[in-house]
Structures are given as structure tokens and as C-alpha cells.
Amino acid sequence: AFWKDGWNILDLFVVLVSIVSLSVSRIPAFNLLRLVRVFRVVRLFKWFHSLREIINALTHAITPVFSSFLIMLIVTCIYAV
């Protein structure tokens, strides 16, 4: 049952990367591995259904907002000339 849940696999990955980053902390290239610890916050989505809905809505809104930004950028560039 543990391996079937994607959240458990994500937790395992975050913990393993954290252990590796702590054990090789003297090597500067591995300091980026500490950023993976941020994914621990993603575990909150498992328990808070309303938070998951908000994040889904925000991610679905990125494309239309980006399209609007591009249109405004094109119009600004046209009138700047």
C-alpha cells in the first residue's frame, strides 16, 4: 500500500535527498539538493482538499494570464515604435 500512493513516494524522495544533502554538505554542488526540502510543503495538499483546489485553480490560470501578458507586450511594443 505504501508504494501505490504517490504522496508516500514523494515523501520518501524528499527524505532521501535531505539525507544525501546533509551527508555531503561540504561539496558546494550538492547545496542545491537542499532546495528539494521545499517539496515537504507539498505534503499539505494531501490533507487540505481546499488548498489543493486553490493550487489547481492557480495553475490553470497561468496560461490565460501569460497569453494576456503577451498580447499587452505586443501592443506596447507596437505603440513604442
Side-chain angles (χ1 to χ4, degrees), residues 39-58:
F39 288 117
R40 287 184 176 179
V41 177
V42 176
R43 294 183 348 185
L44 292 175
F45 301 152
K46 183 178 180 179
W47 292 291
F48 298 113
H49 182 68
S50 59
L51 181 62
R52 191 178 337 156
E53 288 181 9
I54 291 171
I55 297 298
N56 284 338
L58 287 174

Side-chain angles (χ1 to χ4, degrees), residues 63-76:
T63 305
V65 169
F66 184 70
S67 298
S68 301
F69 176 74
L70 284 178
I71 290 172
M72 289 186 64
L73 181 68
I74 291 170
V75 169
T76 303

Side-chain angles (χ1 to χ4, degrees), residues 15-34 37:
V15 169
L16 289 177
V17 169
S18 298
I19 291 171
V20 169
S21 69
L22 288 174
S23 64
V24 291
S25 62
R26 298 193 189 265
I27 302 172
F30 286 104
N31 285 336
L32 290 176
L33 289 177
R34 292 184 183 184
R37 292 183 192 173

